Structure formats: structure tokens, C-alpha cells
Amino acid sequence: MSCYSRRLRQTEPEQQNGGSGPRHVSTHSRVNGWSLPLHPFQLVAWLFYSYLAVVGFGIYVPLLPHGWKHAAYVVIGLLFVGHLVTHLVAITVDPADPSVLAKKSYSRPMPAFDRTKHKHVIQNLHCYLCEADVGPRAKHCSACNKCIADFDHHCKWLNNCVGGKNYWFFFCAVGSAVLGVLLLTMVVLYVFIQYFVNPADLRTDPQFERVTSNTTWFVFLPAAPVETTPAGILAIAILTVMLGVAPILLLGHLLVFHLYLLWKRLSTYDYMVHQRNTQSIRERKNIEEAQVTSDGTLADIVSTPRESDLPLSDRSSGLRYHDGGLISLGQPDGICTDVADTTSLA
């Protein structure tokens, strides 16, 4: 998934019939991230969360020494609960523009957009698809098929748009995920290393006093102890660390990116528009320099067409973007988002 797979054009509804038809296909609007169809990324996210919770609190945290064990339960537990709550809220919130919510009926199909009557979906702060006056920072997302207040991006992992109403829940979900996975991975690494250095420090639970063999270990302590082998604990530890490293790096990059956006007072959409404009200017400059070099004069340069001169069939309906990193760090593809099919017409 690459956020640069499509060029940024004047954002308006994409033609559906090979560029020949003037209308946008009518579909129902989605309410939130629970609206069908659910995205496969949602299942992946919940499975990964469940795996870390079961493995972390069922196997490795109970093996920590007494003082560290209680601290891990509290700190990591709060991060996991906090992530669960903010993640659920970010999915459940309907981020639509207030004027759209006031008159929106999600049971009826979205009216077809007739490009012969209107050049853009949103003109003069009025959306001709939602049939409502919207705010200055509203964008019409064709994935959700409605205008989003203070649009930031469309997140596949939430299966919902991130806008002004749920941005901070999204941000807190990302931050708690980074810290939670990082601390849990450190716990797993500690148990793995300590097993070879001093395994007695891991056998402080009273359940170990009932066995004489040092090769007998327990998981799911203290509530439902189950016997296992050292090989099983070590194998799961290796797998957990391998699974944890990628989210730490990718979500960490994503968190830094959004901290950068907050510092610059930008949205993800604003950042992408700025990046595309900068790239377009740079490409145009390179073309002109190349033509000057080959022809020796500016008089023979054939100017590149402006965005407004391009045929409608060449224009994209919006941005496909995955939450990325700082300008100097590049874009971390495939992390959280697809600023998908945003139809913005400000």
C-alpha cells in the first residue's frame, strides 16, 4: 500500500464508467466503524490485541519478581485498558459534519452527483451529495460517503474516518498502543534473558513451591495454573518479541508523525496536500530545467498543463494515504491508515 500510487488532482468524484458517465454511483452512507462491511484490518487489530493481552498477563507478567509484577499489572494494565476504551470510542463515534448529522438519514441512498450541474461536490461550503452546508474544513469521504467535520484521514484499522470529533481518541489509542506494546515486549525480553541468567527469580509464585523439578513451569498464574515446559515459554517469548517489534516501530513512527502535525497545527490531509503541491512544483521545475538544457532556450519550452486543464477522467476522487512520518523521515507505508477516497472540494 503506497500513498504515492495516485497523483493528487482537483478532488472531486471519480467517474465510474471509464470516464464517460457524468454521475457518481449512489450508495448508502456509513455511520461509523461498525457499519458493514467491516474491514479485515479490524480483525487483525483485535486478534493482535487479544494475543498480547492473553500472553502478556497470562504467561510473562506473573513470572516477574513480586515488586515488578504488581507494577507491571498496574502500568501495562492501565495502558491496555486505556487503549481498548479509546479504540472503541474512535470506532463508534460518527465523525460527520454537524449539519450533515442534523438532516442525515442513513437509511436512504446518497443522491447521485451530476457533474453537468456542479463542477465539484463541495462548492461555497455546500455539499451537493450530502445536501447540506458544511464547515470550512469538512471533506467528503467517498469511503464513508458523507462529509467529515475537520477531516484528518480515513483509517482502515478503525474502519472509520478520523475527524475533529474522534481525533484525540485516535491519538490516545495510538499512544497507548505504542507504550503498552513496548513495555510488554520489555517484560517478555526480561523473562527470556532471566531464564538463562537466574531462573530462580522467575519462580517466586507459591505454586512453584509445590514442585521439585526445575523443568516444570506454570502459565496463567495464579488463578488457573497450567503446567508447561521451558521450551514452550521460550518459544512463545521469541514469537511475541518478533510480533511486537514491528508495531513498536511503525506505530512509533506514526505517533511521531502526529506529534509533528500537532506542532505544525496541520491535519494529515493538509500535510498531504502540501506534500503533493511541493512535489508537483519540483517536478515542473525539473521538466523546465531539462528542456532548457536540451533546447538552450526557454522560448521553446512547452508548458505543462495546469491541474484545471487536465481532463476530468485523469483526476482522482481523493487521496489514498497511509499515516506517515515526518518530512525528513518519509512515509511509513501500511501503518494505520488509508486517507481513502477523500472527496474534498473546498
Side-chain angles (χ1 to χ4, degrees):
M1 295 182 293
S2 173
C3 65
Y4 290 107
S5 60
R6 300 170 65 182
R7 293 179 58 84
L8 177 66
R9 301 297 184 199
Q10 185 77 286
T11 49
E12 52 191 299
E14 191 172 10
Q15 293 192 5
Q16 303 294 324
N17 303 317
S20 59
R23 292 183 176 273
H24 182 75
V25 175
S26 297
T27 57
H28 289 79
S29 299
R30 303 177 67 256
V31 179
N32 52 32
W34 303 114
S35 299
L36 298 178
L38 300 179
H39 199 282
F41 284 3
Q42 286 179 287
L43 178 62
V44 173
W46 289 115
L47 287 176
F48 183 69
Y49 176 89
S50 301
Y51 171 82
L52 289 183
V54 171
V55 169
F57 296 103
I59 300 178
Y60 297 103
V61 172
L63 295 178
L64 293 175
H66 284 298
W68 292 105
K69 181 189 305 183
H70 299 307
Y73 273 126
V74 172
V75 177
I76 302 178
L78 287 175
L79 287 172
F80 268 64
V81 172
H83 174 79
L84 177 64
V85 172
T86 54
H87 193 124
L88 288 174
V89 173
I91 291 176
T92 306
V93 166
D94 184 347
D97 187 271
S99 60
V100 174
L101 284 176
K103 62 179 298 184
K104 189 69 176 176
S105 174
Y106 290 104
S107 62
R108 66 180 180 85
M110 178 70 67
F113 179 71
D114 190 346
R115 191 178 288 113
T116 62
K117 294 182 179 180
H118 308 288
K119 185 177 181 181
H120 304 303
V121 171
I122 299 178
Q123 287 182 310
N124 299 321
L125 302 183
H126 180 82
C127 178
Y128 291 99
L129 283 178
C130 295
E131 298 179 337
D133 294 331
V134 296
R137 296 184 62 82
K139 305 289 180 288
H140 191 97
C141 175
S142 60
C144 293
N145 212 6
K146 61 185 177 184
C147 285
I148 308 300
D150 299 319
F151 178 83
D152 189 85
H153 66 273
H154 182 90
C155 180
K156 288 182 177 180
W157 299 92
L158 299 178
N159 197 31
N160 197 16
C161 270
V162 176
K165 295 181 180 179
N166 61 348
Y167 178 83
W168 285 108
F169 293 105
F170 160 80
F171 181 84
C172 291
V174 173
S176 58
V178 172
L179 293 177
V181 176
L182 175 62
L183 291 179
L184 189 57
T185 303
M186 292 173 63
V187 168
V188 176
L189 279 174
Y190 172 83
V191 172
F192 183 86
I193 296 172
Q194 196 68 5
Y195 173 82
F196 297 100
V197 176
N198 186 10
D201 286 348
L202 306 177
R203 300 172 65 88
T204 58
D205 191 274
Q207 191 69 33
F208 287 105
E209 298 176 0
R210 303 176 185 178
V211 296
T212 57
S213 174
N214 290 333
T215 60
T216 300
W217 289 77
F218 293 95
V219 295
F220 304 115
L221 293 168
V226 177
E227 287 192 18
T228 187
T229 62
I233 291 180
L234 296 178
I236 295 176
I238 294 173
L239 175 62
T240 304
V241 171
M242 292 175 61
L243 291 175
V245 168
I248 291 172
L249 295 177
L250 296 176
L251 288 174
H253 197 176
L254 174 62
L255 180 62
V256 171
F257 171 65
H258 278 275
L259 289 172
Y260 171 84
L261 293 180
L262 290 172
W263 176 48
K264 291 290 187 179
R265 297 183 179 181
L266 296 172
S267 67
T268 301
Y269 181 83
D270 294 334
Y271 175 84
M272 287 305 301
V273 170
H274 179 268
Q275 288 292 94
R276 294 305 181 99
N277 289 340
T278 301
Q279 182 181 0
S280 177
I281 293 173
R282 186 183 300 114
E283 290 177 351
R284 185 174 302 175
K285 182 178 179 181
N286 291 339
I287 292 174
E288 291 178 352
E289 290 178 350
Q291 290 174 332
V292 168
T293 302
S294 60
D295 300 342
T297 175
L298 281 172
D300 297 330
I301 294 179
V302 178
S303 59
T304 57
R306 298 175 299 172
E307 297 290 336
S308 58
D309 295 332
L310 292 173
L312 291 177
S313 60
D314 290 337
R315 297 181 186 175
S316 167
S317 64
L319 299 176
R320 291 190 181 275
Y321 170 65
H322 310 285
D323 273 327
L326 302 178
I327 296 175
S328 60
L329 298 178
Q331 309 294 327
D333 291 341
I335 298 177
C336 170
T337 61
D338 170 34
V339 171
D341 301 326
T342 308
T343 309
S344 156
L345 307 121

